[in-house]
């Protein structure tokens, strides 16, 4: 809590009760403030230009700027790129020094002060409906895009009728002309939305790290923008189809591939690919058949390439920046995912949950609310599945753990693989077990992704709400807080309530995978921890409750002989190398375009629009692969050089990890340093829970972090909103944070 509401200071740079570190140097604060101001000005001017572009005066101003700058070697393509795409790349460039100055270990917290305050990003406004849970800040974004779309349609409609009034033709010809002109306008509005569409799904993007939006949140924005973009492109194509049908030349126009001007057939192919992706991304299809959604979504390559062929290079440059940043991220992820990662241990729990412990380098940076995408090539070469990290970065320097709930075919096969390895461990030698392991389990990892800052450390009071396997990230949070208390590191949480809803009591052992007293003895002196567990499908405890039953049905530990660790190329990785990769790739693209114009396009008078669009895409790819690829090679060499030789695991290291992750079953809940209750046949009453916490903790900010199914998200968000709206001065403000991932 701060004296000035909403004011944040870096905890590790501030001299306070948690740390004796000095304050942030004045030049660092000034430089960060200046960079942020410049980025804000560029972004506001860019958004204002795009928003006002449909107006006639801004259209004329845009044409004037284009004509004034098209005399360079880059031609009109460079002029349009400068207006529509360059600003977002400039902001990305400026974000690099800003993130470097912010520091890799900086934790942002509010100064202690008088009371709680509302925040747009954590105040749920809508909790039901097609958008799911929407915060106030997200609602502002939705409204802005809706207003822009309506504004653009209205302005372009007015302009269309003005243009139509200048022609003295028959009514039918006027209708056809109006249809085609309207279709053209919808296509332009769709391109503007496309300029934003790929930004949220660049998982390790500098921009996402700058504004601290984790990938699981950004994915929702991509979904919303995808619906809007495809609706506009569908209207774009539909208006043209109707006009061509009225002229009686529908098939001829659909198959036309003009050399000068718009090539229709590539546009048809691009739109068809987009419609297939759109149809299979609907919630019903996506949840019932995820594999169909995943495979058809790879058609984005067809969609983008044929879009470039359809409109040519200079029109495509309107949306080029977002696509370029996505291509940067995709190539980096490809390079990271080629590395095979050692699985140090694997466990199967009776409740149908699998725990994997993966090998990672010591310098891999992530926070407790991280995600990884996992591929097991023996199960599928194409499928990548997201999982929350269940271990704190302080649990160990060289390993990372994830919990996987067995729900479908892929996870079922994974459990069978682990069970088969575990069953054979008793009858085989260690060498045979190792050979069997390396033959059958080969993991590849993308990430970790997540918030740039560990926001769970920014609240003194936390309510963690988990549904089923949603307990996974909260195990990491609890471990992280306990490690920080034990090691004397900055950590703000003083009161933590964990509410866990599960279907059956066989899931209870998952909570015991974290040895709280082993991490931080006598932690109750500094942390008030309460755990409330609700077993919804059982009305009474099972007969064996209270007996120290073994929580793991099968497990196997594999000593790592190869030292194959995760790569730190993607996620919240090294800012300097990420920045060099972005800068080198962008410069490479510019050089490729310039050389292409000087050595080929201008001397040979290449004028085919579709061909120049393809060449422009080639220059984007060449800049990333050649120039960016060189940086990646140097980055990987640097990783190997700076890696400690002690990072290679041996049997002793593996045994230590196993002992650290093995639950302690010899303790009874009542003897521990926290209050733990298990209620059977009940669901959490969030009204009663939140109300009692508000009365107990008083006028404070309470961070509510949720990980669970949509119904649970809705219930918790609705209660947060209700409590905030009826709040009195002496009561708490609840800040809703969702950690639920839904592709």
């Amino acid at each position: 809590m701060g004296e000035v509401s909403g004011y944040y200071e870096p905890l590790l740079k501030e001299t306070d009760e948690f740390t004796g570190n000095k304050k942030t140097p004045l030049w660092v604060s000034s430089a960060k403030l200046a960079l942020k101001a410049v980025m804000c000005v560029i972004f506001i001017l860019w958004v204002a230009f795009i928003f006002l572009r449909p107006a006639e005066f801004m259209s004329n101003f845009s044409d004037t700027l284009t004509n004034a700058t098209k005399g360079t070697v880059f031609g009109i393509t460079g002029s349009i790129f400068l207006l529509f795409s360059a600003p977002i790349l400039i902001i990305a460039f400026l974000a690099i020094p800003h993130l470097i100055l912010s520091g890799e270990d900086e934790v942002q917290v509010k100064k202690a002060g008088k009371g709680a305050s509302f925040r747009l990003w954590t105040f749920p406004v809508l909790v039901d409906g097609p958008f799911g849970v929407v915060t106030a800040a997200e609602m502002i974004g939705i409204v802005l895009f809706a207003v822009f779309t309506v504004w653009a349609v209205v302005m372009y409609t007015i302009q269309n009728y003005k243009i139509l009034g200048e022609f003295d033709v028959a009514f039918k010809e006027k209708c056809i002309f109006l249809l085609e002109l309207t279709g053209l306008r919808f296509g332009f509005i769709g391109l503007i939305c496309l300029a934003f569409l790929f930004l949220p799904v660049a998982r390790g993007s500098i921009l996402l790290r700058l504004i601290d939006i984790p990938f699981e949140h950004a994915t929702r924005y991509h979904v919303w923008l995808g619906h809007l973009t495809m609706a506009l492109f569908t209207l774009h194509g539909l208006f043209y189809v109707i006009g061509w049908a009225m002229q009686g030349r529908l098939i001829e126009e659909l198959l036309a591939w003009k050399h000068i001007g718009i090539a229709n057939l590539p546009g048809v192919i691009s739109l068809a690919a987009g419609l297939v992706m759109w149809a299979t991304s609907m919630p019903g299809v996506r949840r019932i058949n995820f594999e169909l959604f995943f495979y058809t979504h790879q058609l984005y390559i067809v969609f983008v390439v044929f879009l470039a062929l359809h409109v040519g290079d200079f029109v495509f440059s309107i949306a080029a920046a977002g696509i370029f940043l996505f291509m940067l991220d995709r190539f980096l992820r490809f390079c990271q995912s080629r590395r095979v990662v050692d699985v140090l241990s694997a466990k199967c729990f009776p409740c149908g949950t699998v725990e994997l412990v993966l090998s990672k380098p010591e310098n891999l940076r992530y926070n407790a609310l991280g995600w990884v995408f996992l591929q097991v090539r023996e199960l599928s070469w194409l499928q990548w599945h997201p999982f929350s990290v269940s271990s704190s970065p302080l649990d160990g320097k060289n390993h990372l753990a994830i919990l996987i709930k067995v729900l479908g075919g892929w996870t079922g096969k994974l459990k069978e693989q682990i069970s088969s390895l575990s069953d054979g461990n008793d009858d085989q030698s260690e060498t045979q077990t190792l050979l069997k392991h390396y033959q059958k389990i080969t993991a590849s990892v993308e990430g970790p992704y997540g918030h740039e800052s560990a926001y769970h450390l920014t609240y003194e009071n936390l309510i963690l709400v988990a549904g089923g396997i949603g307990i996974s990230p909260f195990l990491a949070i609890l471990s992280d807080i306990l490690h920080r208390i034990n090691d004397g590191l900055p950590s703000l949480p003083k009161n933590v309530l964990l509410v866990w809803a599960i279907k059956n009591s066989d899931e209870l052992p998952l909570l015991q995978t974290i040895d709280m007293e082993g991490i931080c003895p006598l932690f109750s002196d500094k942390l008030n921890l309460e755990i409330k567990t609700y077993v919804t499908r059982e009305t009474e405890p099972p007969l064996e409750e209270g007996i120290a039953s073994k929580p793991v049905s099968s497990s196997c530990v594999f000593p790592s002989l190869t030292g194959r660790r995760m790569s730190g190329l993607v996620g919240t990785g090294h800012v300097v190398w990420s920045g060099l990769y972005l800068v080198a790739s962008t410069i490479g693209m510019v050089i490729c375009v310039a050389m292409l114009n000087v050595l080929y396009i201008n001397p040979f008078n290449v004028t085919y629009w579709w061909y120049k669009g393809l060449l422009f895409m080639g220059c984007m790819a060449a800049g990333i692969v050649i120039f960016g690829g060189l940086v990646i090679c140097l980055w990987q060499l640097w990783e190997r050089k700076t890696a400690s030789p002690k990072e290679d695991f041996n049997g002793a290291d593996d045994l230590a990890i196993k002992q650290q992750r093995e639950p302690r079953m010899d303790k009874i809940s009542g003897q521990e340093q926290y209050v733990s209750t298990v209620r059977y046949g009940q669901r959490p009453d969030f009204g009663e829970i939140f109300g009692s916490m508000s009365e107990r903790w008083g006028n404070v900010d309470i961070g509510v972090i949720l990980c669970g199914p949509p119904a649970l998200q809705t219930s918790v968000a609705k209660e947060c909103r209700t409590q905030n709206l009826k709040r009195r001065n002496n009561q708490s403000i609840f800040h809703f944070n969702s950690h639920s991932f839904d592709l």
Side-chain angles (χ1 to χ4, degrees), residues 46 50 80-92 191 194-199 202 205 207 315-329 582 586 589 616-617 620 624:
W46 179 59
I50 289 176
I80 295 179
F81 187 90
L82 187 65
L83 289 176
F84 288 92
S85 290
I88 201 68
L89 292 178
I90 294 172
I91 293 173
L191 276 175
L194 186 66
F196 293 89
L197 178 63
F198 285 92
L199 293 176
S205 169
L207 290 176
V315 178
F316 181 77
S317 62
I318 293 174
I323 296 173
F324 180 71
L325 290 175
F326 174 77
M327 291 171 64
L328 277 167
D329 180 74
L582 168 64
T586 306
M589 178 191 68
F616 188 77
M617 282 288 299
M620 293 170 64
I624 295 170

Side-chain angles (χ1 to χ4, degrees), residues 54-251:
E56 192 170 352
F57 79 91
M58 185 57 74
S59 179
N60 295 332
F61 178 69
S62 175
D63 293 340
T64 302
L65 290 178
T66 302
N67 293 328
T69 56
K70 71 178 182 179
T72 66
V73 69
F74 301 101
I76 190 172
T77 302
S79 299
I80 295 179
F81 187 90
L82 187 65
L83 289 176
F84 288 92
S85 290
I88 201 68
L89 292 178
I90 294 172
I91 293 173
F93 288 172
L94 295 174
I96 299 168
H98 185 276
L99 289 173
I100 293 173
L101 290 173
S102 296
E104 293 188 349
D105 296 321
E106 184 177 285
V107 179
Q108 303 285 341
V109 299
K110 296 179 81 177
K111 282 184 176 181
K114 297 181 179 179
S117 59
F118 290 101
R119 304 172 199 169
L120 293 178
W121 280 107
T122 58
F123 189 95
V125 176
L126 299 180
V127 296
D128 294 308
F131 296 105
V133 178
V134 179
T135 64
E138 292 170 340
M139 192 64 193
I140 292 172
I142 292 172
V143 170
L144 287 177
F145 271 97
V147 169
F148 167 73
T149 303
V150 174
W151 150 264
V153 170
V154 170
M155 293 304 298
Y156 282 137
T157 301
I158 295 173
Q159 294 178 29
N160 291 346
Y161 276 104
K162 285 183 179 179
I163 295 173
L164 200 63
E166 298 176 1
F167 295 91
D168 187 15
V169 294
F171 178 74
K172 182 179 180 180
E173 281 71 19
K174 281 189 176 183
C175 291
I176 294 172
F177 183 71
L178 182 61
L179 285 169
E180 293 185 355
L181 198 56
T182 304
L184 176 66
R185 305 300 196 185
F186 274 118
F188 176 79
I189 302 172
L191 276 175
I192 296 298
C193 293
L194 186 66
F196 293 89
L197 178 63
F198 285 92
L199 293 176
V201 285
R203 299 175 186 173
S205 169
I206 288 287
L207 290 176
L208 292 186
R209 296 176 65 176
L210 172 69
I211 55 181
D212 202 14
I213 294 181
F215 180 62
E216 69 269 19
H217 290 193
T219 302
R220 300 174 67 221
Y221 310 151
H222 171 75
V223 172
W224 300 343
L225 285 168
H227 289 313
L228 177 59
T229 303
M230 285 311 305
L232 292 168
F233 279 150
T234 301
L235 290 173
H236 163 70
L238 184 61
F239 274 91
Y240 271 105
V241 165
I242 295 173
W244 293 336
M246 291 176 63
Q247 292 175 294
R249 51 189 182 94
L250 176 61
I251 303 300

